[in-house]
Amino acid sequence: SGIPWMRFFLLGWTIVCIPFARGQEGTPRRIGNYNVDGSTSFGYRFLDLNGNQGKYNQLLNLQQGFRVFDTQLSFQSTEVNQGWFDRFSLSSQDLGGDPFPTIRLQLRKHGLYDLQANYRATQYFINLPQTDYSSNREWIHRRRFGDFDFRYTPTRDLRLEFFYNRTQRDGHRFI
């Protein structure tokens, strides 16, 4: 089977990479006029389920596969009001099939603009018991939320703001 081989491979890869891993140093790298800092954690989730798949999905809904658990990336300007932005930040959590992924982007120029964009998603799975009174067996509900907020301050006395929000949802009933 491919799964035991994959586990062996990932364990071996981890042992090989441990000597090269560095802890959090607290000193970001400098690229041009920006201090750059970031981190990521990723892995592979193994799933060995013996039992009711529908009930597992209803309670946990954590599926097998590659995951990006957490990512942080930031660019911080060393000189205020120099360049296109003073701060750039990108973060994400639970990408790759988990039921609640999030992504957040922020781009800012002090005193001029502030841009924020967010994406969130939810996925719920309901597994109801089959009865004589209900033909419902399983149901899945997905929602995606996205918002965009842009604040522009061209002068001290004038501030413009644009905000957009979109929510999308869909669901399927399985019998």
Side-chain angles (χ1 to χ4, degrees), residues 6-154:
M6 180 63 83
R7 289 180 185 171
F8 178 74
F9 174 76
L10 288 174
L11 178 63
W13 182 252
T14 303
I15 291 170
V16 168
C17 290
I18 285 175
F20 302 105
R22 296 184 302 173
Q24 294 180 354
E25 297 174 2
T27 57
R29 294 181 185 227
R30 187 175 176 130
I31 298 176
N33 291 335
Y34 296 97
N35 289 328
V36 180
D37 194 16
S39 65
T40 188
S41 62
F42 57 91
Y44 190 92
R45 176 175 291 123
F46 295 96
L47 178 64
D48 187 12
L49 179 65
N50 295 322
N52 187 334
Q53 177 76 37
K55 185 54 93 174
Y56 174 81
N57 286 340
Q58 182 176 344
L59 296 175
L60 299 175
N61 202 13
L62 301 174
Q63 304 303 318
Q64 180 170 307
F66 179 77
R67 301 287 185 267
V68 179
F69 295 111
D70 184 47
T71 301
Q72 306 288 327
L73 177 65
S74 68
F75 288 73
Q76 183 77 36
S77 178
T78 57
E79 301 174 23
V80 179
N81 291 326
Q82 297 294 318
W84 291 94
F85 57 88
D86 294 332
R87 177 164 173 74
F88 169 83
S89 173
L90 178 65
S91 63
S92 68
Q93 293 180 326
D94 302 327
L95 300 180
D98 280 355
F100 306 107
T102 61
I103 301 173
R104 178 178 168 87
L105 170 74
Q106 182 181 24
L107 189 62
R108 183 177 199 186
K109 177 94 169 155
H110 183 71
L112 185 60
Y113 69 84
D114 186 9
L115 169 72
Q116 294 183 23
N118 296 298
Y119 170 80
R120 300 170 310 284
T122 62
Q123 179 173 300
Y124 295 103
F125 188 89
I126 307 297
N127 182 23
L128 300 173
Q130 185 73 26
T131 67
D132 293 335
Y133 304 108
S134 171
S135 64
N136 196 10
R137 183 69 182 136
E138 294 178 345
W139 181 71
I140 189 166
H141 182 78
R142 293 183 181 98
R143 291 176 47 169
R144 292 171 198 80
F145 308 92
D147 49 75
F148 176 87
D149 187 11
F150 182 69
R151 296 177 186 160
Y152 178 61
T153 311

